PDB file of all heavy atoms in Angstrom:
ATOM      1  N   ARG A  30     -22.252 -16.342   0.953  1.00 92.00           N
ATOM      2  CA  ARG A  30     -22.275 -15.220  -0.102  1.00 92.00           C
ATOM      3  C   ARG A  30     -21.246 -14.194   0.257  1.00 92.00           C
ATOM      4  O   ARG A  30     -21.123 -13.678   1.355  1.00 92.00           O
ATOM      5  CB  ARG A  30     -23.600 -14.589  -0.071  1.00 92.00           C
ATOM      6  CG  ARG A  30     -23.774 -13.319  -0.894  1.00 92.00           C
ATOM      7  CD  ARG A  30     -23.778 -13.662  -2.422  1.00 92.00           C
ATOM      8  NE  ARG A  30     -24.308 -12.520  -3.156  1.00 92.00           N
ATOM      9  CZ  ARG A  30     -23.647 -11.627  -3.877  1.00 92.00           C
ATOM     10  NH1 ARG A  30     -22.341 -11.691  -3.905  1.00 92.00           N
ATOM     11  NH2 ARG A  30     -24.277 -10.698  -4.533  1.00 92.00           N
ATOM     12  N   ASP A  31     -20.299 -13.925  -0.685  1.00 93.00           N
ATOM     13  CA  ASP A  31     -19.317 -12.851  -0.624  1.00 93.00           C
ATOM     14  C   ASP A  31     -19.764 -11.736  -1.493  1.00 93.00           C
ATOM     15  O   ASP A  31     -20.164 -11.864  -2.620  1.00 93.00           O
ATOM     16  CB  ASP A  31     -17.957 -13.310  -1.068  1.00 93.00           C
ATOM     17  CG  ASP A  31     -17.270 -14.200  -0.135  1.00 93.00           C
ATOM     18  OD1 ASP A  31     -17.776 -14.474   0.991  1.00 93.00           O
ATOM     19  OD2 ASP A  31     -16.246 -14.791  -0.505  1.00 93.00           O
ATOM     20  N   TRP A  32     -19.752 -10.487  -0.995  1.00 93.00           N
ATOM     21  CA  TRP A  32     -20.004  -9.296  -1.724  1.00 93.00           C
ATOM     22  C   TRP A  32     -18.658  -8.485  -1.955  1.00 93.00           C
ATOM     23  O   TRP A  32     -17.975  -8.161  -1.016  1.00 93.00           O
ATOM     24  CB  TRP A  32     -20.946  -8.338  -0.916  1.00 93.00           C
ATOM     25  CG  TRP A  32     -22.275  -8.883  -0.687  1.00 93.00           C
ATOM     26  CD1 TRP A  32     -22.624  -9.861   0.280  1.00 93.00           C
ATOM     27  CD2 TRP A  32     -23.502  -8.649  -1.378  1.00 93.00           C
ATOM     28  NE1 TRP A  32     -23.972 -10.163   0.211  1.00 93.00           N
ATOM     29  CE2 TRP A  32     -24.443  -9.395  -0.859  1.00 93.00           C
ATOM     30  CE3 TRP A  32     -23.721  -7.810  -2.433  1.00 93.00           C
ATOM     31  CZ2 TRP A  32     -25.826  -9.316  -1.321  1.00 93.00           C
ATOM     32  CZ3 TRP A  32     -25.065  -7.666  -2.949  1.00 93.00           C
ATOM     33  CH2 TRP A  32     -26.019  -8.487  -2.439  1.00 93.00           C
ATOM     34  N   THR A  33     -18.388  -8.141  -3.210  1.00 94.00           N
ATOM     35  CA  THR A  33     -17.325  -7.268  -3.525  1.00 94.00           C
ATOM     36  C   THR A  33     -17.679  -5.805  -3.153  1.00 94.00           C
ATOM     37  O   THR A  33     -18.931  -5.543  -2.988  1.00 94.00           O
ATOM     38  CB  THR A  33     -16.831  -7.308  -4.948  1.00 94.00           C
ATOM     39  OG1 THR A  33     -17.912  -6.800  -5.811  1.00 94.00           O
ATOM     40  CG2 THR A  33     -16.482  -8.749  -5.384  1.00 94.00           C
ATOM     41  N   TYR A  34     -16.743  -4.986  -3.173  1.00 93.00           N
ATOM     42  CA  TYR A  34     -17.105  -3.575  -2.886  1.00 93.00           C
ATOM     43  C   TYR A  34     -17.956  -3.037  -4.019  1.00 93.00           C
ATOM     44  O   TYR A  34     -18.877  -2.298  -3.788  1.00 93.00           O
ATOM     45  CB  TYR A  34     -15.866  -2.711  -2.710  1.00 93.00           C
ATOM     46  CG  TYR A  34     -15.206  -2.764  -1.338  1.00 93.00           C
ATOM     47  CD1 TYR A  34     -14.096  -3.443  -1.117  1.00 93.00           C
ATOM     48  CD2 TYR A  34     -15.796  -2.116  -0.291  1.00 93.00           C
ATOM     49  CE1 TYR A  34     -13.533  -3.475   0.219  1.00 93.00           C
ATOM     50  CE2 TYR A  34     -15.285  -2.203   1.012  1.00 93.00           C
ATOM     51  CZ  TYR A  34     -14.130  -2.868   1.157  1.00 93.00           C
ATOM     52  OH  TYR A  34     -13.614  -2.995   2.502  1.00 93.00           O
ATOM     53  N   ARG A  35     -17.702  -3.428  -5.180  1.00 94.00           N
ATOM     54  CA  ARG A  35     -18.467  -2.987  -6.404  1.00 94.00           C
ATOM     55  C   ARG A  35     -19.924  -3.409  -6.283  1.00 94.00           C
ATOM     56  O   ARG A  35     -20.862  -2.668  -6.376  1.00 94.00           O
ATOM     57  CB  ARG A  35     -17.873  -3.391  -7.639  1.00 94.00           C
ATOM     58  CG  ARG A  35     -18.758  -2.949  -8.941  1.00 94.00           C
ATOM     59  CD  ARG A  35     -18.123  -3.410 -10.207  1.00 94.00           C
ATOM     60  NE  ARG A  35     -16.849  -2.839 -10.415  1.00 94.00           N
ATOM     61  CZ  ARG A  35     -15.749  -3.528 -10.650  1.00 94.00           C
ATOM     62  NH1 ARG A  35     -15.738  -4.869 -10.659  1.00 94.00           N
ATOM     63  NH2 ARG A  35     -14.588  -2.876 -10.846  1.00 94.00           N
ATOM     64  N   GLU A  36     -20.134  -4.735  -5.892  1.00 95.00           N
ATOM     65  CA  GLU A  36     -21.428  -5.307  -5.655  1.00 95.00           C
ATOM     66  C   GLU A  36     -22.176  -4.613  -4.513  1.00 95.00           C
ATOM     67  O   GLU A  36     -23.383  -4.332  -4.585  1.00 95.00           O
ATOM     68  CB  GLU A  36     -21.372  -6.710  -5.490  1.00 95.00           C
ATOM     69  CG  GLU A  36     -20.972  -7.566  -6.692  1.00 95.00           C
ATOM     70  CD  GLU A  36     -20.609  -9.054  -6.325  1.00 95.00           C
ATOM     71  OE1 GLU A  36     -20.223  -9.323  -5.133  1.00 95.00           O
ATOM     72  OE2 GLU A  36     -20.774  -9.816  -7.242  1.00 95.00           O
ATOM     73  N   LEU A  37     -21.430  -4.381  -3.455  1.00 94.00           N
ATOM     74  CA  LEU A  37     -22.047  -3.851  -2.277  1.00 94.00           C
ATOM     75  C   LEU A  37     -22.496  -2.347  -2.563  1.00 94.00           C
ATOM     76  O   LEU A  37     -23.585  -2.026  -2.234  1.00 94.00           O
ATOM     77  CB  LEU A  37     -21.031  -3.862  -1.064  1.00 94.00           C
ATOM     78  CG  LEU A  37     -21.545  -3.301   0.258  1.00 94.00           C
ATOM     79  CD1 LEU A  37     -22.737  -4.150   0.799  1.00 94.00           C
ATOM     80  CD2 LEU A  37     -20.387  -3.272   1.279  1.00 94.00           C
ATOM     81  N   GLU A  38     -21.614  -1.610  -3.173  1.00 93.00           N
ATOM     82  CA  GLU A  38     -22.023  -0.230  -3.565  1.00 93.00           C
ATOM     83  C   GLU A  38     -23.246  -0.137  -4.383  1.00 93.00           C
ATOM     84  O   GLU A  38     -24.218   0.571  -4.192  1.00 93.00           O
ATOM     85  CB  GLU A  38     -20.905   0.529  -4.182  1.00 93.00           C
ATOM     86  CG  GLU A  38     -21.307   1.917  -4.618  1.00 93.00           C
ATOM     87  CD  GLU A  38     -20.292   2.621  -5.420  1.00 93.00           C
ATOM     88  OE1 GLU A  38     -19.746   1.963  -6.414  1.00 93.00           O
ATOM     89  OE2 GLU A  38     -20.003   3.821  -5.181  1.00 93.00           O
ATOM     90  N   SER A  39     -23.291  -1.089  -5.408  1.00 94.00           N
ATOM     91  CA  SER A  39     -24.413  -1.091  -6.284  1.00 94.00           C
ATOM     92  C   SER A  39     -25.732  -1.520  -5.569  1.00 94.00           C
ATOM     93  O   SER A  39     -26.731  -0.901  -5.831  1.00 94.00           O
ATOM     94  CB  SER A  39     -24.219  -2.196  -7.384  1.00 94.00           C
ATOM     95  OG  SER A  39     -25.273  -2.303  -8.354  1.00 94.00           O
ATOM     96  N   ALA A  40     -25.645  -2.487  -4.669  1.00 93.00           N
ATOM     97  CA  ALA A  40     -26.844  -2.892  -3.931  1.00 93.00           C
ATOM     98  C   ALA A  40     -27.294  -1.798  -2.909  1.00 93.00           C
ATOM     99  O   ALA A  40     -28.449  -1.556  -2.812  1.00 93.00           O
ATOM    100  CB  ALA A  40     -26.486  -4.195  -3.104  1.00 93.00           C
ATOM    101  N   VAL A  41     -26.336  -1.078  -2.290  1.00 93.00           N
ATOM    102  CA  VAL A  41     -26.705   0.013  -1.412  1.00 93.00           C
ATOM    103  C   VAL A  41     -27.320   1.108  -2.247  1.00 93.00           C
ATOM    104  O   VAL A  41     -28.359   1.660  -1.789  1.00 93.00           O
ATOM    105  CB  VAL A  41     -25.405   0.545  -0.687  1.00 93.00           C
ATOM    106  CG1 VAL A  41     -25.644   1.803  -0.023  1.00 93.00           C
ATOM    107  CG2 VAL A  41     -24.952  -0.574   0.372  1.00 93.00           C
ATOM    108  N   HIS A  42     -26.807   1.391  -3.379  1.00 92.00           N
ATOM    109  CA  HIS A  42     -27.369   2.538  -4.186  1.00 92.00           C
ATOM    110  C   HIS A  42     -28.797   2.090  -4.637  1.00 92.00           C
ATOM    111  O   HIS A  42     -29.709   2.980  -4.455  1.00 92.00           O
ATOM    112  CB  HIS A  42     -26.507   2.767  -5.444  1.00 92.00           C
ATOM    113  CG  HIS A  42     -27.015   3.852  -6.359  1.00 92.00           C
ATOM    114  ND1 HIS A  42     -26.905   5.152  -6.037  1.00 92.00           N
ATOM    115  CD2 HIS A  42     -27.618   3.727  -7.491  1.00 92.00           C
ATOM    116  CE1 HIS A  42     -27.469   5.826  -7.038  1.00 92.00           C
ATOM    117  NE2 HIS A  42     -27.936   4.985  -7.916  1.00 92.00           N
ATOM    118  N   ARG A  43     -28.980   0.949  -5.112  1.00 92.00           N
ATOM    119  CA  ARG A  43     -30.372   0.503  -5.504  1.00 92.00           C
ATOM    120  C   ARG A  43     -31.356   0.578  -4.382  1.00 92.00           C
ATOM    121  O   ARG A  43     -32.516   1.091  -4.466  1.00 92.00           O
ATOM    122  CB  ARG A  43     -30.311  -0.868  -6.028  1.00 92.00           C
ATOM    123  CG  ARG A  43     -29.847  -1.061  -7.485  1.00 92.00           C
ATOM    124  CD  ARG A  43     -30.146  -2.481  -8.032  1.00 92.00           C
ATOM    125  NE  ARG A  43     -29.819  -3.538  -7.214  1.00 92.00           N
ATOM    126  CZ  ARG A  43     -28.657  -4.161  -7.078  1.00 92.00           C
ATOM    127  NH1 ARG A  43     -27.634  -3.671  -7.770  1.00 92.00           N
ATOM    128  NH2 ARG A  43     -28.490  -5.172  -6.231  1.00 92.00           N
ATOM    129  N   THR A  44     -30.968   0.119  -3.195  1.00 92.00           N
ATOM    130  CA  THR A  44     -31.699   0.094  -2.023  1.00 92.00           C
ATOM    131  C   THR A  44     -32.114   1.572  -1.588  1.00 92.00           C
ATOM    132  O   THR A  44     -33.251   1.812  -1.254  1.00 92.00           O
ATOM    133  CB  THR A  44     -31.056  -0.711  -0.911  1.00 92.00           C
ATOM    134  OG1 THR A  44     -30.786  -2.005  -1.270  1.00 92.00           O
ATOM    135  CG2 THR A  44     -31.943  -0.725   0.341  1.00 92.00           C
ATOM    136  N   ALA A  45     -31.131   2.355  -1.584  1.00 91.00           N
ATOM    137  CA  ALA A  45     -31.361   3.786  -1.229  1.00 91.00           C
ATOM    138  C   ALA A  45     -32.405   4.443  -2.197  1.00 91.00           C
ATOM    139  O   ALA A  45     -33.219   5.230  -1.662  1.00 91.00           O
ATOM    140  CB  ALA A  45     -30.041   4.582  -1.281  1.00 91.00           C
ATOM    141  N   ARG A  46     -32.204   4.162  -3.485  1.00 90.00           N
ATOM    142  CA  ARG A  46     -33.220   4.766  -4.442  1.00 90.00           C
ATOM    143  C   ARG A  46     -34.643   4.191  -4.163  1.00 90.00           C
ATOM    144  O   ARG A  46     -35.638   4.982  -4.284  1.00 90.00           O
ATOM    145  CB  ARG A  46     -32.862   4.395  -5.900  1.00 90.00           C
ATOM    146  CG  ARG A  46     -31.456   4.968  -6.359  1.00 90.00           C
ATOM    147  CD  ARG A  46     -31.272   6.424  -6.359  1.00 90.00           C
ATOM    148  NE  ARG A  46     -31.115   7.129  -5.065  1.00 90.00           N
ATOM    149  CZ  ARG A  46     -30.002   7.181  -4.329  1.00 90.00           C
ATOM    150  NH1 ARG A  46     -28.924   6.635  -4.735  1.00 90.00           N
ATOM    151  NH2 ARG A  46     -29.977   7.791  -3.204  1.00 90.00           N
ATOM    152  N   ARG A  47     -34.775   2.971  -3.798  1.00 91.00           N
ATOM    153  CA  ARG A  47     -36.091   2.397  -3.533  1.00 91.00           C
ATOM    154  C   ARG A  47     -36.621   3.022  -2.192  1.00 91.00           C
ATOM    155  O   ARG A  47     -37.845   3.263  -2.110  1.00 91.00           O
ATOM    156  CB  ARG A  47     -36.027   0.914  -3.343  1.00 91.00           C
ATOM    157  CG  ARG A  47     -35.779   0.197  -4.715  1.00 91.00           C
ATOM    158  CD  ARG A  47     -35.680  -1.318  -4.534  1.00 91.00           C
ATOM    159  NE  ARG A  47     -35.460  -1.919  -5.748  1.00 91.00           N
ATOM    160  CZ  ARG A  47     -34.961  -3.108  -5.964  1.00 91.00           C
ATOM    161  NH1 ARG A  47     -34.533  -3.798  -4.947  1.00 91.00           N
ATOM    162  NH2 ARG A  47     -34.830  -3.614  -7.224  1.00 91.00           N
ATOM    163  N   LEU A  48     -35.732   3.200  -1.264  1.00 90.00           N
ATOM    164  CA  LEU A  48     -36.251   3.866  -0.059  1.00 90.00           C
ATOM    165  C   LEU A  48     -36.698   5.315  -0.267  1.00 90.00           C
ATOM    166  O   LEU A  48     -37.704   5.817   0.251  1.00 90.00           O
ATOM    167  CB  LEU A  48     -35.121   3.852   1.026  1.00 90.00           C
ATOM    168  CG  LEU A  48     -34.739   2.482   1.549  1.00 90.00           C
ATOM    169  CD1 LEU A  48     -33.467   2.607   2.368  1.00 90.00           C
ATOM    170  CD2 LEU A  48     -35.842   1.886   2.410  1.00 90.00           C
ATOM    171  N   GLU A  49     -35.906   6.022  -1.109  1.00 89.00           N
ATOM    172  CA  GLU A  49     -36.389   7.440  -1.460  1.00 89.00           C
ATOM    173  C   GLU A  49     -37.710   7.394  -2.177  1.00 89.00           C
ATOM    174  O   GLU A  49     -38.588   8.187  -1.925  1.00 89.00           O
ATOM    175  CB  GLU A  49     -35.254   8.077  -2.263  1.00 89.00           C
ATOM    176  CG  GLU A  49     -34.046   8.453  -1.513  1.00 89.00           C
ATOM    177  CD  GLU A  49     -32.975   8.922  -2.431  1.00 89.00           C
ATOM    178  OE1 GLU A  49     -32.938   8.757  -3.667  1.00 89.00           O
ATOM    179  OE2 GLU A  49     -31.962   9.537  -1.854  1.00 89.00           O
ATOM    180  N   ALA A  50     -37.911   6.443  -3.070  1.00 90.00           N
ATOM    181  CA  ALA A  50     -39.189   6.355  -3.837  1.00 90.00           C
ATOM    182  C   ALA A  50     -40.280   5.952  -2.828  1.00 90.00           C
ATOM    183  O   ALA A  50     -41.421   6.434  -3.121  1.00 90.00           O
ATOM    184  CB  ALA A  50     -39.038   5.273  -4.912  1.00 90.00           C
ATOM    185  N   ALA A  51     -39.991   5.288  -1.823  1.00 89.00           N
ATOM    186  CA  ALA A  51     -40.985   4.993  -0.812  1.00 89.00           C
ATOM    187  C   ALA A  51     -41.295   6.135   0.174  1.00 89.00           C
ATOM    188  O   ALA A  51     -42.116   6.063   0.971  1.00 89.00           O
ATOM    189  CB  ALA A  51     -40.625   3.746   0.030  1.00 89.00           C
ATOM    190  N   GLY A  52     -40.462   7.305   0.002  1.00 90.00           N
ATOM    191  CA  GLY A  52     -40.821   8.444   0.802  1.00 90.00           C
ATOM    192  C   GLY A  52     -39.805   8.697   2.000  1.00 90.00           C
ATOM    193  O   GLY A  52     -39.983   9.564   2.736  1.00 90.00           O
ATOM    194  N   ILE A  53     -38.779   7.863   2.103  1.00 89.00           N
ATOM    195  CA  ILE A  53     -37.769   8.088   3.122  1.00 89.00           C
ATOM    196  C   ILE A  53     -36.823   9.295   2.704  1.00 89.00           C
ATOM    197  O   ILE A  53     -36.389   9.227   1.593  1.00 89.00           O
ATOM    198  CB  ILE A  53     -36.933   6.794   3.439  1.00 89.00           C
ATOM    199  CG1 ILE A  53     -37.825   5.650   3.745  1.00 89.00           C
ATOM    200  CG2 ILE A  53     -35.884   7.064   4.524  1.00 89.00           C
ATOM    201  CD1 ILE A  53     -38.600   5.810   5.006  1.00 89.00           C
ATOM    202  N   SER A  54     -36.659  10.170   3.615  1.00 88.00           N
ATOM    203  CA  SER A  54     -35.839  11.324   3.360  1.00 88.00           C
ATOM    204  C   SER A  54     -34.689  11.441   4.368  1.00 88.00           C
ATOM    205  O   SER A  54     -34.749  10.868   5.450  1.00 88.00           O
ATOM    206  CB  SER A  54     -36.666  12.566   3.427  1.00 88.00           C
ATOM    207  OG  SER A  54     -37.805  12.516   2.552  1.00 88.00           O
ATOM    208  N   PRO A  55     -33.629  12.288   4.036  1.00 87.00           N
ATOM    209  CA  PRO A  55     -32.654  12.531   5.015  1.00 87.00           C
ATOM    210  C   PRO A  55     -33.258  12.937   6.263  1.00 87.00           C
ATOM    211  O   PRO A  55     -34.238  13.655   6.406  1.00 87.00           O
ATOM    212  CB  PRO A  55     -31.778  13.684   4.407  1.00 87.00           C
ATOM    213  CG  PRO A  55     -32.001  13.479   2.878  1.00 87.00           C
ATOM    214  CD  PRO A  55     -33.407  13.002   2.772  1.00 87.00           C
ATOM    215  N   ASP A  56     -32.643  12.576   7.376  1.00 85.00           N
ATOM    216  CA  ASP A  56     -33.025  12.837   8.770  1.00 85.00           C
ATOM    217  C   ASP A  56     -34.247  12.118   9.295  1.00 85.00           C
ATOM    218  O   ASP A  56     -34.723  12.268  10.452  1.00 85.00           O
ATOM    219  CB  ASP A  56     -33.271  14.434   8.996  1.00 85.00           C
ATOM    220  CG  ASP A  56     -31.970  15.114   8.921  1.00 85.00           C
ATOM    221  OD1 ASP A  56     -30.877  14.572   9.293  1.00 85.00           O
ATOM    222  OD2 ASP A  56     -31.959  16.226   8.326  1.00 85.00           O
ATOM    223  N   ASP A  57     -34.936  11.376   8.413  1.00 87.00           N
ATOM    224  CA  ASP A  57     -36.076  10.476   8.830  1.00 87.00           C
ATOM    225  C   ASP A  57     -35.483   9.448   9.774  1.00 87.00           C
ATOM    226  O   ASP A  57     -34.394   8.989   9.608  1.00 87.00           O
ATOM    227  CB  ASP A  57     -36.675   9.844   7.713  1.00 87.00           C
ATOM    228  CG  ASP A  57     -37.726  10.644   6.947  1.00 87.00           C
ATOM    229  OD1 ASP A  57     -38.001  11.801   7.350  1.00 87.00           O
ATOM    230  OD2 ASP A  57     -38.304  10.196   5.869  1.00 87.00           O
ATOM    231  N   ARG A  58     -36.298   9.013  10.802  1.00 85.00           N
ATOM    232  CA  ARG A  58     -35.943   7.893  11.679  1.00 85.00           C
ATOM    233  C   ARG A  58     -36.489   6.678  11.069  1.00 85.00           C
ATOM    234  O   ARG A  58     -37.693   6.677  10.683  1.00 85.00           O
ATOM    235  CB  ARG A  58     -36.543   8.209  13.080  1.00 85.00           C
ATOM    236  CG  ARG A  58     -36.134   9.376  13.924  1.00 85.00           C
ATOM    237  CD  ARG A  58     -34.828   9.875  13.533  1.00 85.00           C
ATOM    238  NE  ARG A  58     -34.299  10.974  14.452  1.00 85.00           N
ATOM    239  CZ  ARG A  58     -33.818  12.132  14.065  1.00 85.00           C
ATOM    240  NH1 ARG A  58     -33.809  12.389  12.794  1.00 85.00           N
ATOM    241  NH2 ARG A  58     -33.343  12.958  14.920  1.00 85.00           N
ATOM    242  N   VAL A  59     -35.674   5.632  11.001  1.00 85.00           N
ATOM    243  CA  VAL A  59     -36.037   4.410  10.316  1.00 85.00           C
ATOM    244  C   VAL A  59     -35.663   3.305  11.305  1.00 85.00           C
ATOM    245  O   VAL A  59     -34.709   3.341  11.956  1.00 85.00           O
ATOM    246  CB  VAL A  59     -35.421   4.311   8.898  1.00 85.00           C
ATOM    247  CG1 VAL A  59     -35.999   5.322   7.942  1.00 85.00           C
ATOM    248  CG2 VAL A  59     -33.862   4.452   8.969  1.00 85.00           C
ATOM    249  N   ALA A  60     -36.386   2.205  11.062  1.00 80.00           N
ATOM    250  CA  ALA A  60     -36.080   0.966  11.861  1.00 80.00           C
ATOM    251  C   ALA A  60     -36.478  -0.261  11.055  1.00 80.00           C
ATOM    252  O   ALA A  60     -37.383  -0.161  10.185  1.00 80.00           O
ATOM    253  CB  ALA A  60     -36.827   0.946  13.131  1.00 80.00           C
ATOM    254  N   ALA A  61     -35.820  -1.336  11.251  1.00 78.00           N
ATOM    255  CA  ALA A  61     -36.171  -2.636  10.569  1.00 78.00           C
ATOM    256  C   ALA A  61     -35.846  -3.739  11.699  1.00 78.00           C
ATOM    257  O   ALA A  61     -35.003  -3.602  12.485  1.00 78.00           O
ATOM    258  CB  ALA A  61     -35.310  -2.899   9.453  1.00 78.00           C
ATOM    259  N   PHE A  62     -36.634  -4.726  11.597  1.00 72.00           N
ATOM    260  CA  PHE A  62     -36.517  -5.788  12.578  1.00 72.00           C
ATOM    261  C   PHE A  62     -36.300  -7.081  11.759  1.00 72.00           C
ATOM    262  O   PHE A  62     -37.085  -7.385  10.898  1.00 72.00           O
ATOM    263  CB  PHE A  62     -37.838  -5.868  13.449  1.00 72.00           C
ATOM    264  CG  PHE A  62     -37.996  -4.541  14.142  1.00 72.00           C
ATOM    265  CD1 PHE A  62     -38.841  -3.626  13.597  1.00 72.00           C
ATOM    266  CD2 PHE A  62     -37.355  -4.256  15.310  1.00 72.00           C
ATOM    267  CE1 PHE A  62     -39.069  -2.374  14.140  1.00 72.00           C
ATOM    268  CE2 PHE A  62     -37.569  -3.025  15.922  1.00 72.00           C
ATOM    269  CZ  PHE A  62     -38.397  -2.081  15.408  1.00 72.00           C
ATOM    270  N   GLY A  63     -35.276  -7.879  12.227  1.00 71.00           N
ATOM    271  CA  GLY A  63     -35.052  -9.154  11.521  1.00 71.00           C
ATOM    272  C   GLY A  63     -33.708  -9.735  12.061  1.00 71.00           C
ATOM    273  O   GLY A  63     -33.014  -9.094  12.816  1.00 71.00           O
ATOM    274  N   ALA A  64     -33.321 -10.835  11.497  1.00 74.00           N
ATOM    275  CA  ALA A  64     -32.147 -11.484  11.868  1.00 74.00           C
ATOM    276  C   ALA A  64     -30.890 -10.794  11.177  1.00 74.00           C
ATOM    277  O   ALA A  64     -31.098 -10.110  10.166  1.00 74.00           O
ATOM    278  CB  ALA A  64     -32.228 -12.880  11.516  1.00 74.00           C
ATOM    279  N   ASN A  65     -29.747 -10.968  11.751  1.00 81.00           N
ATOM    280  CA  ASN A  65     -28.541 -10.440  11.068  1.00 81.00           C
ATOM    281  C   ASN A  65     -28.399 -11.131   9.695  1.00 81.00           C
ATOM    282  O   ASN A  65     -28.668 -12.347   9.591  1.00 81.00           O
ATOM    283  CB  ASN A  65     -27.303 -10.847  11.885  1.00 81.00           C
ATOM    284  CG  ASN A  65     -27.160  -9.894  13.101  1.00 81.00           C
ATOM    285  OD1 ASN A  65     -27.629  -8.889  13.210  1.00 81.00           O
ATOM    286  ND2 ASN A  65     -26.451 -10.440  14.102  1.00 81.00           N
ATOM    287  N   SER A  66     -28.108 -10.313   8.773  1.00 85.00           N
ATOM    288  CA  SER A  66     -28.007 -10.845   7.338  1.00 85.00           C
ATOM    289  C   SER A  66     -27.235  -9.827   6.503  1.00 85.00           C
ATOM    290  O   SER A  66     -27.084  -8.675   6.920  1.00 85.00           O
ATOM    291  CB  SER A  66     -29.346 -11.058   6.789  1.00 85.00           C
ATOM    292  OG  SER A  66     -30.057  -9.892   6.517  1.00 85.00           O
ATOM    293  N   ASP A  67     -26.774 -10.254   5.278  1.00 88.00           N
ATOM    294  CA  ASP A  67     -26.271  -9.352   4.363  1.00 88.00           C
ATOM    295  C   ASP A  67     -27.299  -8.314   3.932  1.00 88.00           C
ATOM    296  O   ASP A  67     -27.002  -7.159   3.763  1.00 88.00           O
ATOM    297  CB  ASP A  67     -25.601  -9.997   3.148  1.00 88.00           C
ATOM    298  CG  ASP A  67     -26.492 -11.071   2.525  1.00 88.00           C
ATOM    299  OD1 ASP A  67     -27.658 -11.326   3.043  1.00 88.00           O
ATOM    300  OD2 ASP A  67     -26.120 -11.657   1.462  1.00 88.00           O
ATOM    301  N   ALA A  68     -28.569  -8.670   3.774  1.00 88.00           N
ATOM    302  CA  ALA A  68     -29.658  -7.824   3.444  1.00 88.00           C
ATOM    303  C   ALA A  68     -29.805  -6.673   4.493  1.00 88.00           C
ATOM    304  O   ALA A  68     -29.991  -5.510   4.110  1.00 88.00           O
ATOM    305  CB  ALA A  68     -30.961  -8.519   3.307  1.00 88.00           C
ATOM    306  N   PHE A  69     -29.703  -7.044   5.727  1.00 86.00           N
ATOM    307  CA  PHE A  69     -29.780  -6.059   6.747  1.00 86.00           C
ATOM    308  C   PHE A  69     -28.603  -5.054   6.763  1.00 86.00           C
ATOM    309  O   PHE A  69     -28.744  -3.836   6.863  1.00 86.00           O
ATOM    310  CB  PHE A  69     -29.924  -6.675   8.221  1.00 86.00           C
ATOM    311  CG  PHE A  69     -30.305  -5.665   9.250  1.00 86.00           C
ATOM    312  CD1 PHE A  69     -31.620  -5.292   9.426  1.00 86.00           C
ATOM    313  CD2 PHE A  69     -29.349  -4.949   9.955  1.00 86.00           C
ATOM    314  CE1 PHE A  69     -31.989  -4.372  10.437  1.00 86.00           C
ATOM    315  CE2 PHE A  69     -29.706  -4.068  10.899  1.00 86.00           C
ATOM    316  CZ  PHE A  69     -30.989  -3.781  11.155  1.00 86.00           C
ATOM    317  N   ALA A  70     -27.400  -5.543   6.447  1.00 88.00           N
ATOM    318  CA  ALA A  70     -26.265  -4.683   6.391  1.00 88.00           C
ATOM    319  C   ALA A  70     -26.382  -3.775   5.220  1.00 88.00           C
ATOM    320  O   ALA A  70     -26.151  -2.549   5.337  1.00 88.00           O
ATOM    321  CB  ALA A  70     -24.961  -5.585   6.199  1.00 88.00           C
ATOM    322  N   ILE A  71     -26.967  -4.194   4.090  1.00 90.00           N
ATOM    323  CA  ILE A  71     -27.174  -3.375   2.891  1.00 90.00           C
ATOM    324  C   ILE A  71     -28.241  -2.332   3.225  1.00 90.00           C
ATOM    325  O   ILE A  71     -28.048  -1.104   2.920  1.00 90.00           O
ATOM    326  CB  ILE A  71     -27.567  -4.206   1.707  1.00 90.00           C
ATOM    327  CG1 ILE A  71     -26.278  -4.975   1.199  1.00 90.00           C
ATOM    328  CG2 ILE A  71     -28.142  -3.326   0.640  1.00 90.00           C
ATOM    329  CD1 ILE A  71     -26.645  -6.130   0.228  1.00 90.00           C
TER     330      ILE A  71
END
């Protein structure tokens, strides 16, 4: 899978909005555990 800059920015924006909706705020400490992947990079 190749991601263009446009696709990457869109995916990052959507993910950030979902995280905000889940209650994540600036300066919150966050962690995720999993294998290296494009999803983890996003």
